[in-house]
Amino acid sequence: MNANLTSRTLLSAAGLALFSTTLLVGCGADDALDQEQFPEPIASEQISTLAEPLTATEIATLRAQILTEINKARAVARVCGTKSFPAAPALARNTLLDTTAQAHSVDMANKNYFSHTSIDGRSPFKRMSDAGYKYSAAAENIAAGNSTAAATVQQWIRSSGHCANLMSATYIHTGIGYGYSATSTYKHYWTQNFGRPL
């Protein structure tokens, strides 16, 4: 539990799931998913339920905390699956990516689904483009079930596809989203969009 949320009571349940997908655009090719970067969901042993909804300030704090955790992770060389990555420069938050990531997390929480493809059929890359972000490379990590930034980043690091997205020096921008619904399956829904502009 983070220091800024110590007044919240969290109850443990079961499950945590993650997805990751990557898109690189170049040479005039159509958008295509790299299937190695689209791992199956990963389950953990807890889902936390909040005693009361978070305020907008607390959500903003969580989003800032996950960026700190992500950049701490990027600062250390690591192996993601079988691929070695050197330390990577810190990611900078991008308003357009932030907007689409936040909207997707809230949408997943409110409509009780967990997927890169939103209920309206849009891919992460379509959502980023619709938000106005023009990219040469883009990726998305999503996670569900965990209430803290640190634990969510650790889940991504333990998954080779998510870890590879997180450690890739290709990306220089990121957007962070967090949504919560006490009535949804996983309660907590996280989205991280990655990008490199054209």
Side-chain angles (χ1 to χ4, degrees):
M1 182 177 211
N2 65 64
N4 294 315
L5 298 177
T6 54
S7 65
R8 303 287 182 203
T9 303
L10 299 176
L11 305 171
S12 293
L16 175 77
L18 311 170
F19 281 154
S20 168
T21 187
T22 299
L23 170 74
L24 296 175
V25 177
C27 305
D30 293 331
D31 293 352
L33 296 178
D34 179 346
Q35 294 302 314
E36 290 182 6
Q37 300 298 341
F38 195 53
E40 293 296 319
I42 295 174
S44 179
E45 302 212 350
Q46 12 178 291
I47 295 175
S48 301
T49 301
L50 299 176
E52 57 191 79
L54 297 176
T55 66
T57 301
E58 290 169 324
I59 290 170
T61 298
L62 275 176
R63 291 170 73 196
Q65 287 172 346
I66 201 163
L67 179 62
T68 298
E69 293 297 324
I70 288 162
N71 283 331
K72 283 192 326 193
R74 284 172 65 90
V76 178
R78 68 182 71 248
V79 176
C80 300
T82 59
K83 186 172 180 183
S84 295
F85 287 86
L91 293 168
R93 276 178 79 177
N94 176 277
T95 303
L96 298 173
L97 294 179
D98 255 2
T99 299
T100 189
Q102 182 63 18
H104 189 54
S105 286
V106 169
D107 194 53
M108 288 189 294
N110 289 343
K111 295 178 181 168
N112 194 24
Y113 72 97
F114 184 56
S115 175
H116 288 289
T117 303
S118 51
I119 294 289
D120 64 10
R122 291 183 305 153
S123 72
F125 315 110
K126 175 72 170 141
R127 291 191 301 272
M128 288 181 227
S129 294
D130 287 351
Y133 188 79
K134 308 236 184 281
Y135 55 85
S136 59
E140 179 176 84
N141 282 352
I142 61 174
N146 211 312
S147 64
T148 68
T152 299
V153 171
Q154 286 305 308
Q155 287 294 319
W156 282 334
I157 287 170
R158 288 192 290 269
S159 165
S160 61
H162 300 90
C163 180
N165 282 345
L166 194 133
M167 291 301 297
S168 177
T170 298
Y171 309 116
I172 61 170
H173 291 151
T174 194
I176 307 295
Y178 171 79
Y180 176 81
S181 173
T183 60
S184 63
T185 301
Y186 295 110
K187 315 299 185 218
H188 307 271
Y189 294 80
W190 298 86
T191 303
Q192 182 182 14
N193 288 329
F194 301 84
R196 174 176 287 276
L198 287 173

